[in-house]
Amino acid sequence: MQRPSLDAAEADIIAFARAWVRFAAQHGLDEALGLIDRRDSDPPWSEAFVRAMSDDHFGDCQTCVITDPDAFSDLGVFAYRYNDDSGFAVDHDLAMNHQRSDFTAQFVFSKTPHGYAIYLEDIHVL
């Protein structure tokens, strides 16, 4: 999966976020996290952490895993360019356990001299 270049269009940023979520669905969140950056202040994102925070989300006593976003045509992916042109914030709706869910993954794409630093900012219920 190739990171978007610093001159990437908003559509390229969105495409990367979609591809990353697709990769997480196919290979697991732990492996997908290896494709993006991490800050010391970030939460301890992991498959186990998301399973714990999603316990019984659908009222079925199950924990959740990210599943294929392509199975749902109505999952939103929205990019917001920062006013100072330092990067983007991205919100990506998540399918969990093969169902549309209330979970959203939030990413930060920060410009650096070497390209975008990409962080998973949050996974939460909107």
Side-chain angles (χ1 to χ4, degrees), residues 35-117:
L35 300 175
I36 58 176
D37 303 294
R38 175 158 170 69
R39 298 172 290 206
D40 290 338
S41 62
D42 285 342
W45 296 116
S46 68
E47 190 84 39
F49 182 66
V50 171
R51 283 180 174 271
M53 69 183 236
S54 67
D55 189 39
D56 200 34
H57 177 70
F58 293 107
D60 58 3
C61 300
Q62 300 294 310
T63 61
C64 295
V65 294
I66 296 171
T67 53
D68 186 2
D70 296 330
F72 299 88
S73 61
D74 61 342
L75 288 182
V77 186
F78 307 97
Y80 308 94
R81 185 184 304 271
Y82 295 133
N83 290 338
D84 64 2
D85 198 37
S86 64
F88 290 87
V90 176
D91 291 343
H92 193 306
D93 295 342
L94 295 176
M96 304 287 267
N97 292 4
H98 307 286
Q99 300 178 60
R100 190 168 186 351
S101 77
D102 296 326
F103 281 94
T104 298
Q106 293 186 307
F107 299 91
V108 170
F109 288 71
S110 293
K111 289 182 178 179
T112 75
H114 308 289
Y116 278 107

Side-chain angles (χ1 to χ4, degrees), residues 4-24:
S5 65
L6 288 176
D7 61 349
E10 183 177 306
D12 298 322
I13 301 296
I14 288 172
F16 181 89
R18 175 70 80 174
W20 187 90
V21 170
R22 186 180 306 113
F23 186 92

